[in-house]
Amino acid sequence: MKSLAELKQLREKLQQEMSARNSEGKPKIIVGMGTCGIAAGAREVLQAIINEIERRNLDVIITQTGCIGMCEKEPLVDVQLPGQARITYGKVTAKDVERIIVEHVINGNIVTDLAVARLEEGEI
Amino acid sequence: MRELSLHILDIVQNSIAAAATLIEITVIEDLAHDQLTITITDNGQGIPENMQSQLIDPFFTSRETRAVGMGLPLFAEAAQRCDGKLEIYSQVGTGTQVVARFRHSHIDRAPLGDITGTLLSLIALNTNIDFIYHHIYGTKAFILDTREIKRELDGVAINHPEVLSWLRQFIHEGLDDLFGGEE
């Protein structure tokens, strides 16, 4: 059974590592969490993103947005690398997550066949 | 929605939009009375009285991207088809409470589903909001309070991947224990 004592040990370990992590210039992943996104499977996609981030020990910011009016393309996941355009991926499934993370978040290449929109940095 | 836990995830988005800082989710499975009650209580900005009667009308929304809001109407319908109902209590400046009641054994009642995934999603994406989750099943109870977890973490982010992994197992084991290995 997981205990709070165990959480304390984890905290001590992470506090030591934390000083190495810097808060500026992290890639950002944004998941659409409107009713439309949730009904289309956003929760499962988000779980896959969390798993992938943990598996690869990535330092990224994950956050959410509401319905942005592209309901028919949900689940929507946006990726924004520091200083670059924000790319929206549509109809994302848990299976697509590894590709988006490896190709875009890690290697910086947009996954063009899944991308549905692009917002330049200044437009956000 | 296929699972009641997806409705919970969805309804809590309203609390988030209402700038709540503390959101309490309670699931009571009263097997003796064949009742399932889901309550979501927040300390958000509240809903003005003149809007309250329109909340379960799908063609009413406070959002500006589209003219329809499906969250509460879908949840209300899910409850109504299981001999239950949806009640909303709200006061501007105090917060809002949404109560959904279901007949536990009703054939049309959706399963609770992936509660762990719902809680992890909420916690991972909203680190500045505190969540309390109570789940009562018969005579047993499971409680998760992120305020307590954050105290233990002493500055380490609650959505650090390794903390989320710990939380996933903590919730999963807690619920397993609650159901006595049944689910």
Side-chain angles (χ1 to χ4, degrees), chain B residues 65-80:
Chain B
T65 47
R66 267 193 295 109
V68 284
M70 296 302 291
L72 283 166
L74 285 172
F75 201 27
E77 202 208 69
Q80 284 156 10

Side-chain angles (χ1 to χ4, degrees), chain A residues 2 11 13 35 43 64, chain B residues 3 10 13 152 162 173:
Chain A
K2 291 277 151 191
R11 175 194 77 197
K13 185 189 137 214
T35 303
R43 184 183 67 186
Q64 68 170 50
Chain B
E3 300 175 5
D10 187 31
Q13 302 304 317
E152 290 297 331
E162 288 187 54
E173 286 176 11

